[in-house]
Amino acid sequence: MAAFNLSPSAPSTFILAGISGLEAAHMWISIPFSVFYIVCLLGNCMVLFVVGKEQTLHKPMYLLLCMLALTDIATSTSVVPKALCIFWSNLRGITVGGCLTQMFFLHAVSVMQSAILVTMAFDRYIAICKPLRYTTILTNARIAKLGLLGLIRTVVFVLPLPLLLSRQPFCANHIIPHTYCEHMAVAKMSCGDITVNRTYGLVVTFIVLGLDLWLVVFSYSLITRAILRISSKKAHRKALNTCTAHICVMLMSCTFFLFSTVTHRFGQGIAPHVHIILANLHFLVPPMLNPIIYGVKTKELRDKVGKYTCRR
């Protein structure tokens, strides 16, 4: 990260307050946090292991699933370890550089995951609407290029967030009412004008992620039209089943993200601990459930996982 242009009076560290209003319950709250994190690591590492070991799974769909698993691990790892340090040991301090770095990775992973979900929707569109051309349109090399393009887009759009904040003067109050360094929570501690920061954050949220959501909806409108034209009930059901897992993951991710974003920016009447819990659930629940959803809904993956977990 670039050198931080902070004023001489700016704090060298920030203090993460944890879940404000529920400090007495931090130890109890750490239990579900730990369970969710362990399940997330086990599930996503299992997906990576099985796909890596099985040559028959070296296909675009499963390579995308591995990318999603990596972003899920990165998402929860960016939040949970520091949160557990707060809950267990009351280690609330974080350097300004560490805070802005954490912020970059958190938002970068969200944007990258959004790009992966769009690519997965495109994958399902090709599989259902152009099945005879699937292997020529979506090759493993092309998926890798799309992944690299998504990574470049992520860095270009997310890097300005911490860079803009690094140029802000911070006030004497350096307590962040959160378990991690969220962009607007840090921006609100600045003594300067944060109009640019606020505007750019909204642009990234509603232009980049909004465009991704529109592309997913557009893909599924084409998929739905193609499925409705299928006369065979068996083929109709099979086509629907190929999309079920992705639809579930999309709905879950979008629901938690929109709840967290809208309540944080516009829900002034909502208790602070509700804001924080919703924000943490966005980084905990989808990464934990994504591998479970795909494991249950994708027969080929489920069979291969069973091959390794049910050995005698």
Side-chain angles (χ1 to χ4, degrees):
M1 197 69 68
F4 302 113
N5 183 25
L6 300 171
S7 63
S9 59
S12 59
T13 61
F14 291 138
I15 303 297
L16 293 167
I19 302 180
S20 302
L22 296 177
E23 289 84 356
H26 274 178
M27 189 60 70
W28 293 105
I29 295 171
S30 71
I31 296 173
F33 267 60
S34 303
V35 172
F36 290 170
Y37 184 52
I38 291 169
V39 174
C40 166
L41 291 180
L42 289 176
N44 286 293
C45 287
M46 176 60 76
V47 169
L48 292 171
F49 173 77
V50 171
V51 174
K53 291 283 286 185
E54 294 292 331
Q55 289 291 328
T56 56
L57 298 183
H58 292 181
K59 304 173 185 177
M61 175 183 173
Y62 295 103
L63 293 182
L64 287 169
L65 192 53
C66 285
M67 292 182 191
L68 184 65
L70 287 172
T71 60
D72 284 338
I73 292 171
T75 297
S76 54
T77 301
S78 296
V79 173
V80 177
K82 182 58 182 176
L84 292 179
C85 286
I86 296 170
F87 297 155
W88 289 343
S89 306
N90 204 34
L91 298 176
R92 301 169 185 265
I94 183 169
T95 64
V96 174
C99 183
L100 296 180
T101 301
Q102 184 190 44
M103 179 198 305
F104 169 77
F105 279 106
L106 280 175
H107 293 289
V109 168
S110 294
V111 174
M112 185 64 195
Q113 189 173 72
S114 178
I116 292 169
L117 291 173
V118 171
T119 310
M120 289 176 122
F122 178 64
D123 170 79
R124 292 300 85 203
Y125 163 73
I126 299 298
I128 292 172
C129 300
K130 302 179 184 295
L132 298 179
R133 298 178 59 196
Y134 180 84
T135 54
T136 56
I137 295 175
L138 280 181
T139 61
N140 289 350
R142 189 158 290 166
I143 291 297
K145 289 177 182 177
L146 288 172
L148 179 60
L149 184 64
L151 183 60
I152 293 170
R153 184 192 75 152
T154 295
V155 174
V156 168
F157 278 101
V158 177
L159 189 57
L161 290 174
L163 290 182
L164 286 170
L165 273 181
S166 70
R167 301 177 185 278
Q168 287 286 343
F170 289 101
C171 304
N173 176 28
H174 54 281
I175 299 175
I176 303 173
H178 224 300
T179 58
Y180 59 87
C181 292
E182 197 274 335
H183 175 244
M184 284 310 301
V186 178
K188 287 176 181 177
M189 294 192 302
S190 172
C191 302
D193 183 6
I194 61 169
T195 303
V196 174
N197 304 75
R198 188 186 295 272
T199 303
Y200 188 77
L202 286 172
V203 167
V204 172
T205 301
F206 291 106
I207 301 298
V208 177
L209 301 183
L211 175 62
D212 287 351
L213 182 59
W214 182 85
L215 289 172
V216 170
V217 171
F218 180 68
S219 296
Y220 272 100
S221 66
L222 297 176
I223 290 170
T224 302
R225 187 174 66 178
I227 290 175
L228 292 175
R229 290 177 177 175
I230 300 174
S231 55
S232 168
K233 287 187 176 180
K234 184 177 180 181
H236 194 280
R237 194 181 309 111
K238 183 179 179 181
L240 281 174
N241 285 338
T242 63
C243 300
T244 303
H246 184 253
I247 291 172
C248 290
V249 168
M250 275 298 306
L251 289 175
M252 181 175 58
S253 297
C254 288
T255 300
F256 277 105
F257 175 77
L258 289 174
F259 261 61
S260 174
T261 301
V262 172
T263 56
H264 188 81
R265 290 181 181 272
F266 308 110
Q268 284 81 8
I270 300 175
H273 65 269
V274 175
H275 286 290
I276 299 167
I277 289 172
L278 283 173
N280 278 283
L281 288 177
H282 167 61
F283 291 113
L284 282 168
V285 177
M288 175 187 68
L289 293 182
N290 286 347
I292 297 173
I293 291 171
Y294 275 101
V296 170
K297 292 293 184 180
T298 311
K299 184 179 185 302
E300 192 174 6
L301 179 62
R302 184 172 68 245
D303 292 343
K304 297 301 182 183
V305 170
K307 170 183 171 182
Y308 291 97
T309 57
C310 298
R311 283 178 171 176
R312 291 180 180 272

